[in-house]
């Protein structure tokens, strides 16, 4: 059982609960695709918000690499939550946090993590069923237990976190390609039946397989990640996909952009990419303003 | 007096000293312009390094906004040093840290800051003569006292930090434009005579004035910041400028790039800017490897 009074008294859980429900409502079928940009730090998150995305997510890889870590739980829970909180407190729209596989293997570990995630101000999570270190899938039962832990904390604290349950079975399950795809379906159906809000078959990007997957899940909200070769947003919408996230692609693209800036400077001695179509100093500072400070 | 044994025993001060001297040697006149990219986090710094820049700097604005702060000393010294250390421990080339006006107004404050900067692994600093909160210039005497504090710590610890002494007199001194420019010259001459390694007349970007400034300083190493309208690198070289830094411009440009990504997605439902000319997941992870781990 969680100790409720620990949740900071100055948090407005009611409005956090409303943000969670608002975020949940963005996943309903027939409302069109939710395009969810994953940010790596405060200004990347705020920039996406100010451009009009209705909700923001964190990218674990983007955020961890930005802080000098590999894409695993080495950073430790407290520093990770602090990074989520820095972003959450600047956003007005809902924030979903990628929490890897929950920072720990026990139900209790996941409870502690989720409590911290809610305290940090996020209203949704991604939770995945494999270990980044060993590249091994957890058992389905283990992942269902973790999802249940998330639900129990959400209920106790009365912030109904939106749960995006991810499986990496496409890459890490046993068997051939077809068997692994069927394991993805089996797992995602179980996540759905357990009460997850959205399922995330990581690595699914082929149009025919997406079609088959969405039908096998009875058009249950499904998240796919943007990558080269993914069908267009319009096609994904027609396929019945509910949500398209960036994953770490904004970090990949930004590093590519910094390469082009570097090559222009070191190759030509010019800096047009660095100064054209850029924002100003004041705009940059405005991206770090906390929610209550924003005009 | 500083307490030397506090410096971590596992630090290789000898090689840090060599990196400091290497960085200093990049400022010598007649060797061409040092183009110094300012990064905001670990991967932006490492990307610049891997593209071939011989040294990297931090941008205070870029780094602070990335962590959710305004461009001032509100973050507190410890968190700021931790952010510098995260970057320093991934780089093989010299790192110069922007330390605003030194995190405090007394000589003792600056000593503590500089000791921490050396512990964090940086081998150069920028120190400025105005208060970000009040937008008031410090007296020249106050700034010289701070530069002296930096020198004393460097000498005690035997890591000869490269000091880039910045003045904001162009914007914040009294008098008309010409009088403020003359105050910039007066201050930078005093920084030079005190033993700074490089002077940084913030805001100087006009070709004629750069020419006059460099002559007035007898071609002493001068840093200018990239901005729209700055002469080309070749012209700056001809003018005798020793060092051209990015300032926060990579952050400004990146936010402009994220705007274009957002507008393509929300406007057209396509994501070509997000997936073309991007780096891979493995490349992103490699940018967070610590110095000793790199292959």
């Amino acid at each position: 059982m969680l100790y409720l009074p620990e949740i900071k008294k100055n948090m407005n859980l009611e409005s956090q609960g409303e943000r969670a429900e608002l975020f949940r409502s963005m996943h309903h079928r027939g409302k069109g695709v939710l395009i969810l940009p994953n940010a790596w730090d405060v200004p990347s998150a705020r920039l996406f918000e100010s451009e009009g995305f209705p909700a923001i997510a964190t990218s674990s890889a983007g955020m961890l690499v930005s802080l000098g870590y590999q894409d695993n739980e080495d950073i430790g829970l407290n520093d990770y939550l602090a990074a989520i909180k820095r972003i959450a407190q600047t956003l007005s729209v809902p924030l979903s946090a990628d929490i890897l596989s929950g920072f720990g293997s026990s139900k209790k570990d996941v409870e502690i993590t989720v409590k911290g995630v809610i305290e940090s101000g996020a209203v949704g999570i991604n939770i995945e069923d494999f270990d980044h270190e060993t590249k091994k899938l957890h058992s389905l039962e283990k992942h269902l237990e973790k999802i249940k832990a998330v639900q129990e904390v959400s209920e106790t604290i009365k912030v109904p976190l939106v749960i995006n349950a991810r499986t990496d079975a496409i890459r890490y399950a046993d068997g051939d390609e077809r068997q692994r795809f069927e394991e993805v379906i089996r797992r995602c159906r179980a996540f759905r039946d357990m009460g997850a809000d959205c399922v995330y078959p990581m690595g699914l990007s082929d149009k025919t397989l997406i079609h088959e997957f969405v039908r096998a899940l009875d058009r249950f909200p499904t998240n796919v990640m943007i990558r080269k070769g993914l069908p267009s947003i319009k096609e994904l919408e027609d396929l019945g996909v509910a949500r398209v996230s960036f994953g770490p692609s904004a970090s990949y693209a930004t590093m590519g952009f910094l390469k082009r800036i570097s090559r222009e400077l070191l190759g030509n001695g010019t800096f047009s990419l660095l100064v054209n179509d850029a924002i100003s100093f004041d705009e940059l500072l405005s991206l770090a303003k906390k929610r209550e400070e924003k005009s």
Side-chain angles (χ1 to χ4, degrees), chain A:
Chain A
M1 204 56 204
L2 288 166
Y3 186 54
L4 266 177
E6 278 180 38
I7 295 275
K8 290 196 191 74
K9 288 190 184 58
N10 61 2
M11 282 194 63
N12 189 340
L13 289 175
E14 194 177 327
S15 87
Q16 194 175 359
E18 285 166 9
R19 273 208 303 285
E21 288 300 358
L22 173 66
F23 186 42
R24 181 170 283 101
S25 76
M26 296 174 190
H27 293 74
H28 280 175
R29 287 156 272 185
K31 268 199 185 174
V33 175
L34 170 63
I35 307 176
L36 189 62
N38 298 71
W40 68 82
D41 66 358
V42 169
S44 55
R46 279 278 298 122
L47 192 286
F48 289 137
E49 177 184 53
S50 74
E51 286 298 307
F53 289 99
I56 309 293
T58 64
S59 153
S60 67
M63 203 162 83
L64 287 164
V65 167
S66 174
L67 296 169
Y69 292 91
Q70 297 298 299
D71 187 23
N72 58 35
E73 298 175 0
D74 283 352
I75 186 174
L77 181 61
N78 287 345
D79 283 352
Y80 196 67
L81 292 175
I84 292 170
K85 185 175 181 174
R86 288 195 293 265
I87 295 174
Q89 65 193 1
T90 67
L91 294 176
S92 302
V93 299
L95 175 69
S96 183
D98 184 325
I99 61 167
L100 298 107
S101 61
F103 283 84
S105 59
S106 75
K107 191 160 180 285
K108 184 72 202 165
D109 291 333
V110 176
E111 284 174 0
I112 290 168
T113 301
V114 172
K115 191 164 158 292
V117 166
I118 292 176
E119 285 177 341
S120 77
V123 297
I125 56 154
N126 268 18
I127 186 161
E128 60 203 28
D129 65 353
F130 90 112
D131 187 305
H132 281 262
E133 303 288 353
T134 62
K135 308 289 182 205
K136 284 214 186 322
L137 273 188
H138 300 146
S139 71
L140 174 56
E141 292 62 39
K142 165 62 75 186
H143 204 53
L144 292 175
E145 184 186 81
K146 288 186 175 185
I147 292 172
K148 195 168 163 51
V150 178
Q151 292 170 320
E152 286 174 3
V153 174
S154 291
E155 201 168 309
T156 308
I157 300 185
K158 300 193 193 324
V159 173
L161 279 186
V162 174
I163 303 173
N164 187 34
R166 165 175 158 177
T167 178
D168 283 68
I170 284 184
R171 284 181 297 174
Y172 299 117
D174 292 332
D176 63 20
E177 211 171 309
R178 184 70 208 173
Q179 287 166 320
R180 296 199 303 274
F181 179 64
E182 278 164 11
E183 177 63 9
V184 171
I185 290 175
R186 185 179 80 94
R187 287 190 173 223
C188 287
R189 280 176 172 158
F191 302 160
R192 174 196 64 189
D193 297 343
M194 175 61 102
D197 299 286
C198 189
V199 293
Y200 184 7
M202 169 53 80
L204 190 67
S205 60
D206 173 81
K207 191 172 169 171
T208 310
L209 290 178
I210 294 174
H211 180 64
E212 184 177 348
F213 179 88
V214 173
R215 268 194 314 173
L217 270 285
D218 303 313
R219 300 178 71 84
F220 186 76
T222 297
N223 187 105
V224 299
M225 190 182 88
I226 287 181
R227 58 196 296 180
K228 234 174 181 153
L230 190 75
S232 71
I233 302 293
K234 177 75 182 67
E235 285 175 301
L236 292 170
E237 195 158 58
D238 293 342
L239 290 166
V241 168
R243 165 168 150 175
V244 184
S245 59
F246 283 20
S249 58
S251 294
Y252 305 159
T254 294
M255 291 300 119
F257 179 60
L258 294 187
K259 269 193 191 183
R260 299 193 290 284
I261 285 174
S262 301
R263 288 168 190 192
E264 186 197 342
L265 258 159
L266 293 171
N268 304 336
T270 57
F271 41 81
S272 65
L273 285 172
L274 203 50
V275 297
N276 291 337
D277 304 313
I279 70 167
S280 68
F281 181 68
D282 289 341
E283 275 178 281
L284 183 69
L285 292 187
S286 77
L287 295 175
K289 283 192 184 157
K290 299 196 173 51
R291 190 161 42 239
E292 55 274 25
E293 296 167 352
K294 278 189 267 178
S295 55

